[in-house]
């Protein structure tokens, strides 16, 4: 039962499914019916479905037949009308064909004209399109032509701007044209060409300023501002802009700085002969100034091409090399005028660079070093000047025959003498020509020192100290040496030495006027703390003392020359009753010499006279006691006594004023007492009073007395031997010989007791 119910249900479902499929077939496009039919064949009831399909087809055929039957009469009528229309249509066709033939015949020219019009319209469109394209291309071509013109005229920065516009604005609008591709491909080459050409211009610029640095620096040192106007900096600016636009600014900056550093080293290398002329130094300074004028202008007119650190680095290098070069080359300079000109040039050099903001303190410090060298060159120059003055001087008082001549001398040298002023013309100054000449040359030296201190930014005290120290060197070293050389000259005469003493005395007195002279030009009072004092007084005193010593030595040498003419016959028994000729001449020489000493300070003249007399007495004593003189007679001793008396007479005559009573005679006291002892043969008194403070022969040394006694003894013994050959030995001679032997023995006893 249940099974039958299930079968019935399945049959109903199948029937419903078949009905759905049939409806779908009826309503679905034939192209899409495949899947529907497939569902039928996939099922198991396709036989039943075919039955239902046949039934459905029969039903549709019956409906079609009913419809045809209903519309048949209308169909027949339509066919009839259609046949009628076919005849009319044939007529119409014939008419249309005829009309078409006529129209074709009539419209053939029109067609040709229309075809021509069509072609014209096509050409017009093409021309219009071409014009439009050309209008796009012409600006590109014009810009490219402009670019080539700018390249040709070396307007590289505008060319680069044009290239930028061409590349980014114009070429993209016509990028599909072949010529545009050629241009695009050529742009990097053009950029490189612009870079290369602008770099070439920069190299030319660098070479040009290297050559013209001298002129730039010369202009700057003359007028300072405006020197940079001599230079066309446009190549630098163009090249900088070009490299900046091309993104290579850093490369350009590095190249520029590297090249300028190389040029700086070349500029700072001085020529080997720079020290020979001022022009050598001037050209060297001009080049350095020119270099830094250019760099300073670049610093202030470009944004970062060079910076302050780079400039400061270059300046530090330049400063150290310049100072080293100046130290080396200035040391070769021996001309003070050149050193002074160099100093002025260095000051101008420093002041010029200071205007441009460069620190120059080290240059002024170095000038203080050159100041010492300048002082040395001045001292060498003035050594020659003093030498010429002293060599050419006649060492005679300056004669004047008129008031004009007198005023001229006192105008050159500060001298006042009331007595001399009262004397009538002609008259003489006490000093010779070299006094005013030396005095004026000292003032000239001070002026020369002052010139160097100008523009060094020194205080008055520093200038005063510099001048005084240099002047002291002039006095204590240069002038002192010159005077000493003259004094020690082999052929110097007593007259010259006397005049030198007089001259140095007056120069010593003039030192206070030199102090005043320095004070007047520096405005620094001598009483100011730390003010250096002049040592001129010491210099002239030393020279005077040297001259005095030389006078003493010279006098003694003259005396020795006269004494060499002495020709005593120590064996003579005859007496001339007059002094020896050589001694008379010697005394005459001394009188004339001491007459010249009238202008000398009294002490000097007295010392010279006493020294001469002492030397004469000593020399005469040496002649008497000379070892080569083995024997002498009492007669020879008498003759020698006459010469000593002549000397004593000279001493008593007062050849030089100022001696008290017989002071000068004391120079001959040793000789006098010795000669009196032998001539008077007063041995008993000598031997009895020896050692007493008031004895008559206090100045007679027993050794001297014994030496002279032995000479006489030898002569007497020799004479006795000769007399003994011809006659009997006389008793008085034997007694005298015995006395001599006794005295000699006693003298030896005194000598030995003295030594013990």
């Amino acid at each position: 039962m249940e099974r039958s119910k299930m079968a019935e249900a399945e049959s109903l479902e199948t029937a419903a499914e078949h009905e759905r499929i049939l409806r779908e077939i009826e309503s679905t496009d034939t192209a899409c019916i495949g899947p529907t039919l497939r569902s039928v064949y996939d099922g198991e009831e396709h036989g039943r479905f075919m039955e239902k399909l046949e039934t459905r087809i029969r039903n549709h055929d019956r409906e079609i037949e009913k419809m045809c039957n209903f519309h048949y009469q209308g169909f027949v009528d339509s066919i009839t009308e259609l046949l009628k229309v076919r005849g009319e249509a044939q007529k119409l066709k014939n008419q249309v064909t005829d009309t078409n033939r006529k129209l074709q015949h009539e419209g053939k020219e029109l067609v040709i004209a229309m075809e021509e019009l069509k072609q014209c319209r096509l050409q017009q469109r093409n021309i219009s399109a071409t014009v439009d394209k050309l209008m796009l291309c012409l600006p590109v071509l014009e810009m490219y032509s402009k670019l080539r013109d700018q390249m040709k005229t070396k307007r590289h920065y505008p060319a680069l701007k044009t290239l930028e516009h061409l590349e980014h604005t114009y070429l993209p609008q016509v990028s599909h044209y072949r010529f545009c591709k050629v241009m695009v491909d050529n742009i990097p080459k053009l950029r490189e060409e612009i870079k290369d050409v602008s770099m070439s211009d920069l190299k030319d610029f660098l070479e040009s300023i290297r050559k013209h640095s001298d002129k730039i620096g010369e202009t700057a040192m003359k007028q300072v501002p405006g020197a940079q106007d001599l230079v066309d900096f446009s190549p630098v600016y163009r090249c900088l802009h070009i490299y900046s636009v091309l993104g290579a600014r850093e490369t350009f900056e590095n190249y520029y700085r590297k090249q300028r550093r190389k040029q700086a080293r070349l500029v700072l290398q001085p020529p080997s002969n720079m020290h020979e002329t001022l022009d050598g130094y001037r050209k060297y300074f001009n080049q350095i100034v020119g270099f830094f004028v250019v760099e300073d202008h670049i610093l202030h007119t470009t944004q970062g091409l060079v910076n302050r650190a780079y400039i400061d680095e270059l300046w530090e290098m330049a400063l150290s090399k310049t100072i080293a070069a100046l130290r080396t080359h200035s040391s070769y300079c021996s001309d003070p005028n050149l050193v002074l000109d160099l100093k002025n040039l260095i000051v101008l050099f420093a002041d010029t660079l200071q205007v441009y903001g460069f620190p120059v303190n080290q240059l002024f410090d170095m000038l203080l070093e050159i100041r010492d060298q300048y002082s040395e060159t001045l001292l060498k120059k003035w050594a020659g000047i003093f030498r010429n003055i002293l060599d050419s001087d006649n060492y005679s008082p300056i004669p004047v025959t008129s008031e004009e001549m007198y005023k001229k001398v006192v105008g050159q040298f500060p001298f006042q003498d009331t007595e001399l002023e009262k004397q009538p013309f002609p008259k003489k100054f006490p000093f010779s020509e070299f006094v005013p000449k030396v005095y004026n040359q000292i003032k000239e030296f001070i002026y020369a020192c002052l010139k160097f201190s100008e523009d060094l930014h020194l205080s008055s005290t520093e200038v005063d100290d510099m001048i005084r120290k240099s002047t002291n060197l002039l006095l204590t070293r240069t002038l002192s040496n010159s005077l000493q050389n003259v004094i020690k000259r082999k052929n110097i005469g007593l007259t010259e030495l006397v005049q030198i003493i007089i001259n140095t005395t007056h120069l010593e007195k003039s030192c206070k006027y030199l102090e005043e002279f320095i004070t007047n030009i520096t405005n620094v009072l001598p009483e100011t703390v730390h003010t250096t004092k002049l040592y001129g007084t010491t210099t002239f005193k030393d020279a005077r003392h040297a001259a005095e010593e030389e006078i003493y030595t010279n006098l003694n040498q003259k005396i020795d020359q006269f004494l060499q003419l002495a020709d005593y016959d120590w064996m003579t028994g005859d007496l001339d009753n007059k002094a020896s000729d050589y001694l008379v001449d010697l005394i005459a020489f001394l009188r004339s010499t001491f007459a010249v000493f009238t202008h000398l300070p009294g002490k000097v003249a007295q010392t010279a006279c006493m020294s001469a007399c002492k030397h004469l007495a000593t020399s005469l004593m040496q002649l008497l006691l000379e070892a080569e003189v083995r024997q002498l007679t009492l007669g020879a001793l008498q003759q020698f006594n006459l010469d000593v008396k002549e000397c004593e007479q000279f001493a008593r005559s007062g050849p030089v004023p100022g001696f008290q009573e017989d002071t000068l005679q004391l120079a001959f006291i040793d000789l006098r007492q010795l000669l009196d002892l032998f001539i008077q043969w007063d041995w008993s008194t000598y031997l009895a009073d020896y050692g007493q403070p008031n004895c008559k022969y206090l100045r007679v040394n027993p050794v001297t007395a014994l030496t002279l006694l032995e000479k006489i003894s030898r002569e007497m013994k020799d004479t006795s031997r000769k007399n003994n050959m011809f006659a009997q030995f006389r008793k008085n001679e034997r007694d005298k010989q015995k006395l001599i032997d006794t005295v000699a023995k006693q003298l030896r006893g005194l000598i030995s007791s003295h030594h013990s």
Side-chain angles (χ1 to χ4, degrees):
M1 187 73 169
E2 289 179 359
R3 187 176 295 174
S4 62
K5 285 182 179 180
M6 290 177 63
E8 185 179 353
E10 289 178 358
S11 177
L12 289 173
E13 288 178 2
T14 301
E17 178 65 19
H18 287 172
E19 186 62 29
R20 183 189 67 76
I21 292 172
L22 287 174
R23 284 197 304 271
E24 187 173 343
I25 290 172
E26 288 174 346
S27 61
T28 303
D29 188 4
T30 56
C32 300
I33 202 171
T36 304
L37 294 177
R38 186 173 215 32
S39 64
V40 175
Y41 285 98
D42 287 343
E44 296 178 357
E45 299 295 335
H46 58 275
R48 187 180 296 177
F49 176 75
M50 291 301 297
E51 290 176 358
K52 283 190 175 186
L53 181 60
E54 286 293 335
T55 303
R56 182 66 62 91
I57 291 171
R58 283 194 296 275
N59 290 334
H60 281 297
D61 286 341
R62 281 194 294 273
E63 288 178 1
I64 292 170
E65 186 176 352
K66 286 180 182 178
M67 188 176 289
C68 289
N69 289 330
F70 180 76
H71 293 290
Y72 178 75
Q73 186 59 45
F75 175 71
V76 172
D77 292 340
S78 297
I79 291 301
T80 302
E81 288 180 1
L82 185 60
L83 288 175
K84 289 179 181 179
V85 169
R86 186 176 64 180
E88 292 297 327
Q90 185 62 42
K91 289 180 182 179
L92 182 59
K93 179 182 177 182
N94 291 335
Q95 288 177 357
V96 169
T97 301
D98 186 51
T99 301
N100 180 54
R101 180 177 54 74
K102 289 180 180 179
L103 183 61
Q104 288 293 333
H105 181 268
E106 294 296 333
K108 187 174 183 180
E109 292 181 0
L110 180 59
V111 169
I112 293 172
M114 288 299 293
E115 188 64 31
E116 290 178 352
L117 179 61
K118 177 183 176 183
Q119 290 297 324
C120 286
R121 290 287 173 82
L122 179 62
Q123 289 176 356
Q124 186 179 20
R125 285 197 303 272
N126 290 342
I127 289 171
S128 178
T130 301
V131 169
D132 292 341
K133 298 301 182 184
L134 285 175
M135 292 302 291
L136 284 175
C137 293
L138 276 176
V140 177
L141 296 173
E142 287 173 354
M143 289 295 286
Y144 192 77
S145 175
K146 179 181 178 182
L147 173 64
R148 299 310 299 181
D149 288 340
Q150 290 170 336
M151 293 284 288
K152 187 176 181 180
T153 55
K154 296 185 177 181
R155 296 163 58 211
H156 303 118
Y157 183 67
L160 189 62
K161 289 294 185 183
T162 301
L163 187 63
E164 293 296 314
H165 286 300
L166 185 64
E167 181 180 20
H168 298 295
T169 304
Y170 293 94
L171 285 177
Q173 298 178 8
V174 291
S175 59
H176 52 284
Y177 295 109
R178 282 182 296 175
F179 79 87
C180 179
K181 187 176 185 308
V182 173
M183 288 183 182
V184 171
D185 293 341
N186 204 30
I187 283 175
K189 296 178 182 178
L190 290 172
R191 279 202 180 95
E192 286 302 315
E193 182 180 349
I194 291 172
K195 279 180 67 176
D196 293 343
V197 173
S198 63
M199 182 56 72
S200 176
D201 289 346
L202 176 67
K203 290 177 180 178
D204 292 341
F205 167 80
L206 292 174
E207 180 63 20
S208 174
I209 60 172
R210 185 187 69 81
K211 291 179 179 178
H212 294 92
S213 286
D214 185 13
K215 185 66 177 177
I216 300 167
E218 180 183 3
T219 304
M221 290 177 71
K222 284 181 179 178
Q223 62 191 40
V224 183
Q228 63 274 5
D229 296 339
L230 297 175
V231 182
D232 178 13
F233 289 92
S234 57
V236 180
Y237 303 147
R238 285 197 301 268
C239 200
L240 175 62
H241 289 315
I242 287 168
Y243 271 73
S244 299
V245 171
L246 296 177
R249 181 187 177 99
E250 185 177 354
T251 302
F252 175 76
E253 289 177 359
N254 292 336
Y255 176 82
Y256 177 85
R257 295 182 184 184
K258 181 180 179 181
Q259 294 303 312
R260 288 297 277 166
R261 280 194 181 94
K262 288 181 179 179
Q263 290 187 350
R265 291 188 179 93
L266 290 175
V267 164
L268 295 170
Q269 185 65 37
S272 58
N273 62 341
M274 181 174 74
H275 59 276
E276 294 178 359
T277 63
L278 188 65
D279 285 339
Y281 289 105
R282 183 179 288 110
K283 185 174 182 181
Y284 179 63
F285 289 144
N286 286 345
Q287 288 178 340
I288 297 174
V289 171
F291 178 90
F292 282 99
V293 165
V294 170
E295 290 307 286
D296 181 75
H297 188 72
I298 291 292
L299 173 68
H300 290 92
T301 56
T302 61
Q303 296 180 348
L305 177 56
V306 297
N307 53 32
R308 176 52 64 184
Y310 159 82
I311 294 291
D312 290 345
E313 178 193 347
L314 280 181
W315 176 238
E316 284 298 321
M317 177 184 72
L319 203 55
S320 62
K321 288 185 176 292
T322 302
I323 290 174
L326 288 175
R327 282 193 180 122
T328 301
H329 285 268
S330 63
S331 64
Y332 298 137
C333 186
S334 58
D335 180 5
N337 292 327
L338 180 56
V339 178
L340 183 61
D341 290 340
L342 173 59
K343 165 256 169 181
N344 292 330
L345 196 58
I346 293 173
V347 170
L348 179 59
F349 171 70
D351 289 344
T352 302
L353 287 168
Q354 194 171 34
V355 169
Y356 287 92
F358 295 99
V360 293
N361 290 337
Q362 292 184 48
L363 286 172
F364 283 101
D365 292 341
M366 194 249 334
L367 278 173
L368 299 182
E369 299 176 23
I370 295 182
R371 176 190 65 187
D372 297 335
Q373 182 193 342
Y374 174 70
S375 180
E376 287 299 320
T377 57
L378 283 182
L379 292 174
K380 289 179 181 177
K381 178 180 178 180
W382 257 259
I385 292 173
F386 288 146
R387 184 171 57 251
N388 292 335
I389 291 174
L390 296 176
D391 288 346
S392 61
D393 196 65
N394 59 9
Y395 294 93
S396 299
I398 301 174
V400 288
T401 58
S402 65
E403 185 69 25
E404 183 181 356
M405 293 177 65
Y406 187 90
K407 289 182 178 179
K408 181 179 179 183
V409 174
V410 295
Q412 294 173 343
F413 182 73
F415 176 78
Q416 291 180 343
D417 189 332
T418 306
E419 292 184 3
L420 184 63
E421 290 177 1
K422 293 177 180 178
Q423 292 178 13
F425 292 100
K427 52 189 174 183
K428 294 181 179 180
F429 285 95
F431 46 81
S432 68
E433 288 282 355
F434 95 57
V435 170
K437 287 182 179 178
V438 166
Y439 181 81
N440 281 294
Q441 283 303 321
I442 295 173
K443 290 172 66 176
E444 288 298 322
F445 179 87
I446 293 171
Y447 276 127
C449 292
L450 180 65
K451 285 181 181 178
F452 194 91
S453 65
E454 293 172 352
D455 302 320
L456 291 187
H457 312 302
L458 299 175
S459 66
S460 297
T461 305
E462 289 173 315
V463 173
D464 182 84
D465 185 65
M466 180 198 78
I467 291 176
R468 289 176 181 273
K469 286 181 178 178
S470 297
T471 306
N472 276 335
L473 284 175
L474 178 76
L475 296 172
T476 60
R477 193 173 78 185
T478 307
L479 181 55
S480 178
N481 289 342
S482 299
L483 290 171
Q484 294 292 341
N485 289 336
V486 172
I487 292 168
K488 300 297 182 183
R489 196 184 296 160
K490 287 184 178 180
N491 60 347
I492 189 75
L494 285 170
T495 305
E496 287 89 344
L497 289 169
V498 170
Q499 192 62 57
I500 288 173
I501 291 174
I502 296 169
N503 289 352
T504 52
T505 301
H506 286 284
L507 283 171
E508 180 184 346
K509 293 177 181 177
S510 72
C511 288
K512 64 178 182 179
Y513 297 103
L514 290 175
E515 288 270 10
E516 292 176 3
F517 177 71
I518 294 175
T519 299
N520 289 335
I521 63 176
T522 63
N523 294 320
V524 177
L525 297 176
E527 300 81 26
T528 305
V529 181
H530 306 306
T531 299
T532 305
K533 305 301 179 184
L534 288 185
Y535 302 142
T537 303
T538 305
T539 296
F540 298 124
K541 280 183 178 178
D542 292 344
R544 186 163 62 254
H545 292 158
E548 291 170 5
E549 291 297 326
E550 198 64 28
I551 284 178
Y552 308 150
T553 303
N554 195 301
L555 267 176
N556 293 343
Q557 289 174 349
K558 289 291 185 181
I559 292 171
D560 291 340
Q561 291 174 7
F562 279 101
L563 289 171
Q564 288 175 2
L565 301 175
D567 187 19
Y568 289 101
D569 182 3
W570 299 111
M571 301 303 292
T572 185
D574 299 328
L575 192 64
D576 289 342
N577 292 322
K578 65 175 184 176
S580 303
D581 293 339
Y582 87 90
L583 192 69
V584 174
D585 294 340
L586 171 57
I587 296 300
F589 163 74
L590 291 175
R591 288 186 188 281
S592 63
T593 299
F594 292 134
V596 179
F597 286 14
T598 52
H599 292 292
L600 280 177
K603 184 179 178 181
V604 177
Q606 293 166 16
T607 304
C609 188
M610 178 60 78
S611 173
C613 290
K614 284 183 177 180
H615 182 72
L616 177 57
T618 302
S619 300
L620 288 172
M621 182 70 81
Q622 289 174 350
L623 280 175
L624 191 61
L625 302 176
E626 195 172 22
E628 294 179 359
V629 181
R630 301 281 299 168
Q631 302 175 10
L632 59 81
T633 64
L634 288 174
L637 206 59
Q638 292 281 1
Q639 181 63 47
F640 189 80
N641 185 46
L642 291 175
D643 289 349
V644 174
K645 285 183 176 180
E646 186 72 21
C647 294
E648 290 173 326
Q649 175 60 33
F650 167 73
R652 281 194 299 272
S653 67
V656 171
F659 285 110
Q660 294 180 355
E661 299 179 355
D662 297 334
T663 302
L664 194 57
Q665 285 180 261
L666 293 177
F668 302 97
I669 190 65
D670 290 4
L671 272 173
R672 173 48 47 214
Q673 291 185 7
L674 180 64
L675 290 172
D676 285 350
L677 175 62
F678 276 85
I679 292 172
Q680 296 175 13
W681 208 249
D682 194 11
W683 293 107
S684 58
T685 303
Y686 177 77
L687 293 172
D689 296 343
Y690 181 78
Q692 299 299 320
N694 297 320
C695 65
K696 182 179 179 181
Y697 302 104
L698 180 65
R699 305 292 299 179
V700 178
N701 189 300
V703 176
T704 304
L706 179 60
T707 302
L708 189 58
L709 188 62
E710 287 176 343
K711 292 177 183 285
I712 295 173
S713 175
R714 291 190 197 99
E715 188 276 331
M716 292 183 68
K717 287 179 180 179
D718 190 52
T719 303
S720 296
R721 282 196 300 271
K722 292 178 181 178
N723 291 338
N724 195 33
M725 294 174 58
F726 304 100
Q728 283 293 334
F729 189 75
R730 287 172 289 187
K731 184 178 182 298
N732 61 338
E733 291 179 349
R734 289 199 305 270
D735 293 341
K736 195 170 186 177
Q737 184 62 51
K738 287 180 181 179
L739 178 59
I740 290 174
D741 293 341
T742 301
V743 171
K745 184 177 180 180
Q746 290 178 321
L747 288 174
R748 291 188 185 97
L750 290 175
I751 294 170
S752 62
S753 64
H754 176 73
H755 284 299
S756 63

